[in-house]
Amino acid sequence: MLLASLFTVHVLSALIWVGGMFFAHMALRPTVATVLQPPERLTLLVGVFARFFVWVKISIVLLFLTGFWIIHIYGNFAKAGWHIHSMLLIAVIMTIIFGVIYAGPYKALRYAVSLQQWPAAGAAMATIRRLVGINLVLGLITVVIGTSGRFLV
Ligand code: HEM
């Protein structure tokens, strides 16, 4: 029952983070880029990120908490398969990239939008797009490793 709950929370957190990035990167951003002018587009995206990033932070905490808890129940880390080690490594890289986005271009985007400096805001957004693209690919790989890894050991 505990393991079932941990897996459920683990997968829901992965779903919210990776699925949110997929929607933002593959559907929302390309659409607003063709429909809205920079002032409306960049203001909208700041609002979207402000809400989404709260959920990303919660998801990161829950992924590590439930992940380590599952490892603890399995025995210990040395016994964990390669897929769990890979998942942890990629999750750490993804978390660092999220931290870089949050402290760097996202902060710059908010600042530039508040001052209505649209070229600077556009440049910050371009950096966020590239970094989210990298994290999306890493997130999808992690989901594949997490779900299929145990059958490949
Ligand atoms: C972006 C981050 C992560 C994603 C997208 C992710 C995704 C997944 C998925 C989809 C599963 C399969 C669940 C199932 O089949 O029911 C899984 C299992 C698991 N994850 Fe993660 N995970 C992430 C981070 C972590 C972290 C940080 C840890 C460790 C601290 C971890 C430890 C585990 C463990 C131990 C399992 C069970 C594997 C098994 O039973 O073979 N995960 N994860």
Side-chain angles (χ1 to χ4, degrees):
M1 186 60 198
L2 172 62
L3 202 52
S5 310
L6 292 174
F7 265 93
T8 304
V9 173
H10 195 79
V11 173
L12 281 178
S13 305
L15 178 95
I16 289 169
W17 188 7
V18 182
M21 286 196 294
F22 190 92
F23 169 73
H25 196 75
M26 306 300 286
L28 178 68
R29 200 206 47 84
T31 306
V32 294
T34 58
V35 173
L36 297 177
Q37 293 303 309
E40 290 80 22
R41 180 172 80 237
L42 295 162
T43 307
L44 173 87
L45 289 171
V46 166
V48 169
F49 290 144
R51 282 176 170 76
F52 178 54
F53 286 171
V54 173
W55 291 102
V56 173
K57 287 185 219 167
I58 295 170
S59 298
I60 288 173
V61 170
L62 291 175
L63 276 168
F64 279 87
L65 192 75
T66 54
F68 279 120
W69 204 333
I70 294 169
I71 291 169
H72 176 71
I73 291 173
Y74 278 177
N76 64 52
F77 199 63
K79 277 194 216 152
W82 66 271
H83 63 299
I84 296 177
H85 290 268
S86 315
M87 186 161 22
L88 176 57
L89 175 66
I90 300 176
V92 168
I93 295 169
M94 287 176 66
T95 302
I96 291 170
I97 292 176
F98 173 72
V100 168
I101 293 173
Y102 198 85
Y106 172 58
K107 198 175 165 196
L109 176 69
R110 275 186 308 179
Y111 184 67
V113 166
S114 71
L115 297 179
Q116 306 198 342
Q117 292 175 345
W118 306 119
M125 187 56 226
T127 307
I128 293 175
R129 179 175 58 79
R130 276 195 296 275
L131 292 173
V132 170
I134 293 169
N135 251 3
L136 173 59
V137 172
L138 291 176
L140 292 173
I141 291 171
T142 314
V143 170
V144 171
I145 291 172
T147 47
S148 61
R150 85 193 61 166
F151 304 106
L152 303 172
V153 281

